[in-house]
């Protein structure tokens, strides 16, 4: 009896040892949960759902989207940090992941709690002014702001939003004093600039381009290091006179810390294939974003750099006193 | 006869078999999610968006729009039948609609809600077709000072929501304002009254409070009553409104439509404000305001029309200027962009099939909803004959599912339960929850606009009276106050002279 039990135990032990190595080859054997730490509708949700659909096809198992919004993405991120690192829980992160720790009380470590899998895409903002503002370039806007310190306004989607942070970085680097007017969401902030109450906004290409084309807003510069293919005639803000300026949103996938390297490698490979699909390329292009490839290690380093950069902006701009 | 030609062209587009089918799927789905609290059109449209990539832009938008206004219809059904507001805007319908159901008049309440909504939808559609662009331009004149003054007027007018004790009502309004303060400060991002809980940094959800105090509070109260006195009587007098009902509803529907259209065009007003305003107007104008809160059909007809007109007119800034007036509209813009269409004023000229097709489909969709809902009234009303011991766990379960689905957050279910207990206590102590919800809706928006106005005027409070539109609302507020105080003053003077 006891022999039989020990035999069974050792067999179970062997099976367990086997499963960890086999797991990676067989992975996935059940649906994978993809946590999006934002409610449905925003850019994180759009990106996450696009990827989930395509990844499901490649993995042969359903990738189930689980929206866990709230507190600038930190609630969903915290949930993901506490899950079993077996590759069956993944998390969509974006620039908010690099900003959240400086703004919210968090119970996870933005680096140590996660295993980076893959970056997906990056997308710049565009600095757009109301056409009645008498400036035609970033340089002229900076000059105007210097002439009228504290008299110009820029609208943003809210405190701690990417629009806000890229705006504060702009103020810091250009050395200007412009009053920040926060709204609740990117729609209202853009309406405010079109109505002429605020002078400019730094908002995503997908939201802003139609209004630039219809002449309700004037584009002065894009926030990436290179010009955007969506607006090839618009210089970058760095070209326009604020040297070294860069504020680019990005989206990527991470897993909880301790996820087996073999599974991470498999996911990285499949995500790379998803990135190459024409459907995804087209969808990102309409969002004004483009796919980017990095190894998992490079992505880890990138997250660290972004955390340092935006943490400094939050501090220097005195966003959280 | 440009308009006629355009509309005819639009109907031609909308009447294609494919578009009719998508319209029907949209309104049906909308009705279903409208019935369920919590899960709203925003989440549904976000989830269905990827499915629309492969159908054409016209069909995609027709379906998504159908979901949106279908939800406005569905939301009132559960509000009337079981005091469960399926959508934010249906909260007001709970007040008198559910009382009508308790009196065995669920049928007329449901019918008048559908008729009012249909009328408002028709007017809304016409407004888009006739005056879309100028209305949208006008709405851009509203900046933070105007929004603040407008909402101040609304809050002062809230006093008429009072049932019985004025002091208790004011206390509830103030409590609503305080609850609205919970969450991140709009200008600094600092969490207020969040007690270190991440779940509270975005504030308390409206639907959490609404379902808690209305649905759960009501259930607990009912269970406290002796079995035979629980409301679900078999005496269902009529299924359809009487001539008297229709006569009473006519003006409220017209006024509600006007009020809803006004708020609908303004991008900075959330849901529920239109229906609250309509309710307050109807109560103020009524010959016998004491009927309100006890099953007055005007209290259903007005707000239901207002909320549908509001929903319909939210399309105006989106379609004519490419500006989103709400989260749902932002998603629709996203859907258009994904389809390769640049939203904006040029849509009307460059994509007439889309614009006029959508406008025509809205009217068809509204018609479908009436056709769908009127025969269903009999079915719904029969639901009330289900024994309460079966009905109340079902309501609780649906509420819980709905609340959970908003953020997939168990915390919000606990919070709903807590508000259920509070709701029960308030009912027992004679505090009506409607003023609380109005304070909760208006408070955060007033604060946001007040702070923004002060920020952009560099702290100069004169901005509220130097801008003409804002001044007009301030003057109206003062007038409302005078009208309300006058009778009290007169009574006191009479008392002195006596």
């Amino acid at each position: 009896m006891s022999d039989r039990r020990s035999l069974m135990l050792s067999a179970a032990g062997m099976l367990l040892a086997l499963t960890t190595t086999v797991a990676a080859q067989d992975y996935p054997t059940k649906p994978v949960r993809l946590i999006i730490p934002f409610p449905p509708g925003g850019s994180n949700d759009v990106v996450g759902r696009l990827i989930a659909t395509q990844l499901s096809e490649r993995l042969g198992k359903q990738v189930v989207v689980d929206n866990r919004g709230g507190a600038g993405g930190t609630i969903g991120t915290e949930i993901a940090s506490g899950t079993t690192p077996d590759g069956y829980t993944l998390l969509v992160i974006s620039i908010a992941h690099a900003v959240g720790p400086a703004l919210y009380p968090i119970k996870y470590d933005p680096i140590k709690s996660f295993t980076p899998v893959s970056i997906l895409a990056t997308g710049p903002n565009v600095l757009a002014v109301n056409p009645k503002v008498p400036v035609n370039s970033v340089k002229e806007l900076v000059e105007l702001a210097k002439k009228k310190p504290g008299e110009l306004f820029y609208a943003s989607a809210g405190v701690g939003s990417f629009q806000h942070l890229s705006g504060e970085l702009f103020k810091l680097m250009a050395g200007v004093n412009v009053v920040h007017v926060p709204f609740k969401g990117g729609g209202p902030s853009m309406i405010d600039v079109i109505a002429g109450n605020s002078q400019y906004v730094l908002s995503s290409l997908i939201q802003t381009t139609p209004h630039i084309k219809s002449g309700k807003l004037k584009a002065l510069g894009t926030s990436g290091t290179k010009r955007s293919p969506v607006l090839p005639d618009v210089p970058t803000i760095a070209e326009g006179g604020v040297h070294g300026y860069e504020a680019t949103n990005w989206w990527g996938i991470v897993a909880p810390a301790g996820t087996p390297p073999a599974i991470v490698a498999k996911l990285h490979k499949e995500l790379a294939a998803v990135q190459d699909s024409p459907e995804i390329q087209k969808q990102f292009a309409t969002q004004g974003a483009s796919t980017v490839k990095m190894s998992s290690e490079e992505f880890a380093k990138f997250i660290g750099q972004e955390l340092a950069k935006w943490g400094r902006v939050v501090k220097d701009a005195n966003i959280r006193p | 006869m440009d308009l006629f030609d355009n509309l005819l062209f639009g109907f031609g587009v909308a009447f294609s078999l494919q578009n009719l089918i998508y319209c029907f799927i949209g309104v049906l789905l909308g009705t279903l999610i409208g019935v369920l609290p919590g899960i709203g059109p925003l989440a549904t449209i976000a989830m269905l968006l990827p499915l629309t990539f492969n159908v054409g832009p016209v069909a995609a938008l027709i379906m998504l729009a159908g979901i949106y206004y279908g939800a406005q219809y569905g939301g009132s059904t559960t509000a009337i039948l079981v005091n469960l507001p399926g959508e934010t805007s249906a909260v007001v319908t709970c007040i008198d609609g559910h009382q009508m159901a308790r009196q065995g008049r669920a049928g007329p309440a449901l019918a008048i809600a559908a008729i009012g909504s249909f009328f408002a939808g028709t007017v809304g559609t016409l407004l888009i077709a006739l005056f879309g662009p100028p209305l949208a331009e006008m709405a851009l004149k509203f900046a933070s000072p105007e929004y603040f003054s407008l909402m101040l007027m609304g809050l002062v007018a809230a006093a008429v929501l009072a049932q019985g004790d004025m002091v208790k009502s004011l206390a509830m309004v103030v409590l609503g304002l305080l609850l609205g303060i919970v969450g991140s400060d709009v200008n600094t991002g600092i969490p207020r009254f969040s007690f270190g809980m991440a779940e509270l940094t975005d504030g308390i959800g409206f639907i959490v409070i609404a379902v808690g105090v209305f649905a759960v509070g009501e259930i607990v109260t009912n269970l406290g009553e002796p079995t035979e006195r629980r409301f679900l009587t078999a005496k269902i007098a009529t299924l359809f409104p009487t001539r008297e009902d229709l006569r009473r509803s006519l003006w409220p529907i017209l006024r509600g439509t006007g009020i809803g259209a006004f708020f609908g065009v303004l991008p900075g007003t959330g849901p529920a404000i239109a229906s609250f305003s309509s309710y307050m107007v109807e109560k103020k104008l009524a010959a016998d305001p004491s009927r309100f809160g006890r099953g007055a059909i005007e209290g259903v007809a007005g707000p239901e029309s207002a909320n549908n007109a509001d929903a319909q007119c939210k399309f105006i800034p989106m379609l004519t200027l490419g500006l989103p007036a709400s989260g749902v509209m932002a998603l629709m813009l996203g859907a258009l962009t994904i389809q390769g269409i640049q939203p904006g004023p040029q849509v009307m000229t460059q994509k007439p099939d889309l614009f006029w097709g959508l406008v025509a489909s809205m009217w068809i969709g509204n018609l479908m909803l009436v056709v769908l809902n009127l025969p269903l009234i009999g079915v719904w009303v029969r639901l009330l004959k289900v024994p309460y011991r079966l009905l109340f766990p079902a309501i609780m379960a649906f509420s819980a599912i709905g609340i959970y689905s908003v953020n997939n957050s168990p915390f919000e279910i606990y919070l709903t339960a807590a508000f259920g207990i509070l709701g029960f206590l308030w009912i027992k102590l004679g505090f009506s929850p409607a003023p609380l919800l109005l304070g909760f809706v208006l408070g955060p928006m007033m604060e946001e606009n007040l702070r923004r106005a002060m920020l952009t005027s560099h702290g100069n409070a004169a901005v509220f009276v130097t801008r003409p539109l804002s001044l007009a609302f301030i003057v109206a507020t003062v007038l409302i106050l005078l009208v309300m105080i006058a009778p009290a003053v007169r009574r006191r003077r009479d008392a002195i002279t006596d």
Side-chain angles (χ1 to χ4, degrees), chain A residues 66-68 70-71 150 182 211 320, chain B residues 189 201-202 322 408 452 455 458:
Chain A
D66 185 5
N67 292 88
R68 299 282 178 145
H211 303 292
R320 172 50 56 85
Chain B
T201 51
D202 293 332
N408 293 348
R452 193 174 296 136
L455 189 71
H458 300 285

